[in-house]
């Protein structure tokens, strides 16, 4: 790794050469120290690649520019065995079968907008609805189902930049939205995700990542024995279609209390369908702070979640029903993986009391989330 510090020019040339020259089917090239690029096929007439980011510890994150999907995140467990702490597939075809947002970037609006409608500056907008009467995760073809432009940065740590232009009117949203997402894998086993966006018309924006974690690395184990702490005294209750009622409710004395780490399965049976709610994080500003810790004693792994965002959608894979098969051939059943989606609150464009998700021309949307893997031996 040290070598690359002395060879910035050579690395830069390697980046340029590799980004400009076509990669043959399934061919893998080293773009720079710590990053390889594999041809993964084509979608919508655009080339799809799988990038592998490796740090000096041998931790490895794979990301494709189709949907900006994190397909795997391989770390050591306490016995020294390697496995992926997120579910996913080893080929593009798996993702084209439309799994429920496995590992994907979510936009233009993470989670639900009631009836797919909102009004901005007196203009009423109607979105594509794709979840009963509501709009979910950007609509029928959200940011999870498009090919992003990808650039490998000539940095000291492996980093991948993805760009996408969401056109004015796409899925019903106003304004051309230029989005940049930067994934970085640090030597401290942190997967850092930075989101930036700019618009030319006022629009709601709420970006997140939809990785499904199972820290045992094996979906034959449910996530019910994982322990979770969420630094949140309140959550947003929902109606039967999972739209927030607008109320901010205390978690105290309810199954939603994760202020001290507890097993996810402990009270899940008292929550109809399982957890699929937004927690109102205790953090008071938009600085990057630790907001949650997930841990699993079987593997000895923990994931600390840091974010600039005010909310966390904790989802226990309630709708997973075995239809999709993980890379190891095992069916992905209910509660065998969970999501910790850092975000603004669902349906904020229709809830004036929630933190604003409205981006205006000239403003810069910026948000950061870090998933840090820690091994407790
Ligand atoms: C989010 C939602 C869930 C579900 C999943 C995807 O977590 O809150 O209700 O739609 O995405 O299946």
């Amino acid at each position: 790794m040290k070598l690359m510090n002395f060879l910035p020019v050579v690395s830069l040339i390697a980046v340029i050469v590799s980004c400009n020259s076509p990669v043959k089917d399934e061919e893998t090239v080293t773009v720079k120290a710590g990053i390889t690029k594999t041809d993964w096929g084509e979608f919508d007439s655009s080339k799809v690649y799988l990038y592998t980011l490796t740090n000096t510890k041998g931790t490895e994150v794979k990301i494709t520019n189709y949907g900006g999907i994190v397909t795997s995140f391989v770390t050591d467990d306490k016995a020294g065995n390697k496995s992926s702490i997120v579910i996913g597939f080893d080929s593009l075809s798996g993702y084209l079968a439309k799994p429920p947002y496995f590992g994907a970037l979510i936009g233009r609006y993470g989670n639900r907008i009631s009836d797919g409608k909102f009004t901005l500056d007196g203009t009423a907008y109607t979105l594509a609805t794709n979840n009963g009467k509501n709009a979910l995760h950007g609509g029928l073809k959200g940011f999870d189902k498009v090919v992003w432009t990808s650039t490998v940065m000539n940095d000291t740590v492996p980093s991948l930049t993805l760009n996408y232009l969401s056109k004015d009117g796409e899925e019903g949203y106003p304004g051309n939205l230029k989005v940049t997402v930067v994934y970085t894998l640090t030597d401290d086993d942190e997967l850092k995700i930075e989101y930036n966006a700019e618009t030319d018309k006022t629009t709601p924006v709420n970006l997140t990542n939809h990785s499904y974690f199972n820290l045992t690395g094996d979906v034959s184990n449910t996530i019910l024995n994982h322990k979770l702490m969420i630094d949140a005294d309140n959550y947003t209750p929902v109606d039967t279609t999972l739209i927030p009622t607008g109320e901010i409710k205390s978690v105290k004395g309810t199954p939603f209390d994760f202020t001290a780490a507890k097993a996810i399965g402990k009270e899940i049976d008292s929550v109809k369908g399982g957890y699929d709610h937004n927690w109102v994080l205790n953090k008071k500003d938009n600085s990057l702070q630790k907001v949650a810790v997930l841990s699993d004693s079987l593997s000895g792994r923990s994931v600390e979640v840091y974010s600039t965002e005010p909310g966390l959608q904790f989802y226990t894979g309630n709708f997973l029903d075995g239809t999709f098969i993980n890379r190891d051939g095992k069916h992905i059943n209910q509660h065998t993986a969970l999501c910790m989606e850092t975000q603004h609150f669902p349906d904020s464009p229709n809830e004036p009391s929630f933190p604003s998700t409205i981006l205006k021309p000239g403003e810069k949307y910026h948000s950061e989330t870090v998933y840090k893997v820690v091994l407790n031996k």
Side-chain angles (χ1 to χ4, degrees), residues 338-371:
L338 65 90
C339 303
M340 296 176 285
E341 302 155 68
T342 52
Q343 54 171 34
H344 273 55
F345 308 172
D347 202 30
S348 298
N350 295 308
E351 288 292 351
S353 65
F354 287 178
S356 173
T357 51
I358 303 304
L359 183 72
K360 297 188 173 135
E363 294 178 347
K364 287 187 191 311
Y365 175 100
H366 178 78
S367 139
E368 269 177 58
T369 290
V370 175
Y371 295 103

Side-chain angles (χ1 to χ4, degrees), residues 100-101 111-112 136-137 210 212 242 276 313 315 319 341:
Y101 310 97
N111 216 279
R112 294 175 177 78
L136 174 67
H137 293 334
H210 211 297
Y212 285 77
L242 298 177
D276 188 359
Q313 183 81 14
Y315 168 60
F319 303 122
E341 302 155 68

Side-chain angles (χ1 to χ4, degrees), residues 37 47 70 77 88 103 110 136 150 163 188 196 267-269:
K37 175 183 184 182
K47 295 287 276 179
V70 175
D77 67 10
L136 174 67
S150 44
N163 287 288
D188 289 329
N196 289 292
E267 291 163 294
I268 197 172
D269 289 344

